[in-house]
């Protein structure tokens, strides 16, 4: 219920969007290994598909969207915009390069190795290559990958993030994009729920020439001597 129709977590904090995805995947991991036949009386235990209608929870449509679609929907000039208490990416960032958020990488990697749907694995593979510049093993991290995976995908990545504008109606976020490559720019209008964010509806975020021009400082600084 907390994953909206845009595929993202309902609170205005990208950090919590990815964190909530890892919690859902932890549950999916438990169910992935669950098998009534491991117990002395298997008939006393239900099968996963009998309870939730799908055998492999990693292939649940909402979880798949949260892992794959949402980050690209709100990406601006290669960056993951800072909403609420998510720290902003400081300094110059080449707009044609995708920012890698560790928790987002973890969501994609687990989806790639656990999904049983060929089309989902293919999409996850493409995003892993995009985020790693074609070499997924270069940025793999975390104890789950250490014990549960083989080598990641390798190959050519797409040249740059999407250039089309996007609208996340449930989240209340509009991303207007223009230009291409290192000349890309983006304007974001944020509305929607103000949970874990500054109480300023319709705040603006502007990115140009690889730098942040305007961005929400979030509540990380609220109440400090800089903000008051």
């Amino acid at each position: 219920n907390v994953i909206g129709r845009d595929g993202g977590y309902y609170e205005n904090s990208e950090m919590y969007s990815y964190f909530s995805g890892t919690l859902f995947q932890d549950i999916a991991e438990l169910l992935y290994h669950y098998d009534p036949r491991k117990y002395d009386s298997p008939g006393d235990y239900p099968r996963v598909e009998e309870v939730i209608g799908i055998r492999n929870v990693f292939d649940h449509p909402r979880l798949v969207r949260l892992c794959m679609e949402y980050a690209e929907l709100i990406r601006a000039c290669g960056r993951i915009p800072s909403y609420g208490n998510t720290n902003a990416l400081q300094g110059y960032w080449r707009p044609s390069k995708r920012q890698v958020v560790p928790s987002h990488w973890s969501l994609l990697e687990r989806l790639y190795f656990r999904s049983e749907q060929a089309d989902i694995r293919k999409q996850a593979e493409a995003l892993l290559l995009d985020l790693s510049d074609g070499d997924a093993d270069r940025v793999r991290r975390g104890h789950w990958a250490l014990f549960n995976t083989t080598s990641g995908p390798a190959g050519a990545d797409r040249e740059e993030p999407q250039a089309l504008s996007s609208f996340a109606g449930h989240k209340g976020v509009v991303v207007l994009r223009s230009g291409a490559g290192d000349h890309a720019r983006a304007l974001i209008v944020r509305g929607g729920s103000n949970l874990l964010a500054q109480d300023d509806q319709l705040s603006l975020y502007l990115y140009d020439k690889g730098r942040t021009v305007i961005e929400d400082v979030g509540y990380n600084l609220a109440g400090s001597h800089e903000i008051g």
Side-chain angles (χ1 to χ4, degrees), residues 76-77 79-82 87-93 99 186 204-217:
C77 294
R79 298 171 179 253
I80 298 295
S82 172
N87 292 329
L89 180 63
Q90 302 297 320
Y92 175 80
W93 182 267
Q99 179 187 357
L204 299 177
Y205 304 71
L206 178 61
Y207 306 92
D208 191 14
K209 297 181 179 178
R211 298 187 180 276
T212 299
V213 181
I214 305 172
E215 194 168 57
D216 185 356
V217 296

Side-chain angles (χ1 to χ4, degrees), residues 67-69 72 75 98 104-105 108 122-132 158:
C67 295
M68 287 203 298
E69 296 182 20
E72 299 307 303
R75 189 180 294 278
R98 286 172 168 83
H104 180 218
W105 176 267
L108 285 172
K122 184 176 181 179
Q123 293 177 60
E125 177 182 20
L127 278 172
L128 287 172
L129 292 175
D130 291 342
L131 293 172
S132 62
R158 290 173 291 188

Side-chain angles (χ1 to χ4, degrees), residues 59-73:
D59 291 326
H60 192 288
R62 285 196 178 186
L63 184 56
V64 170
R65 291 197 68 193
L66 177 61
C67 295
M68 287 203 298
E69 296 182 20
Y70 188 67
E72 299 307 303
L73 181 69

Side-chain angles (χ1 to χ4, degrees), residues 137-174:
D137 283 339
R138 183 177 58 84
V139 292
R140 296 172 71 204
R141 66 193 73 194
H143 63 275
W144 186 90
L146 179 64
F147 293 104
N148 292 278
T149 69
T150 56
S151 296
D157 66 325
R158 290 173 291 188
E159 293 183 358
E160 60 184 69
Q162 62 171 314
L164 299 176
S165 299
S166 57
F167 173 64
H170 178 264
K171 194 83 164 186
V173 173
V174 177

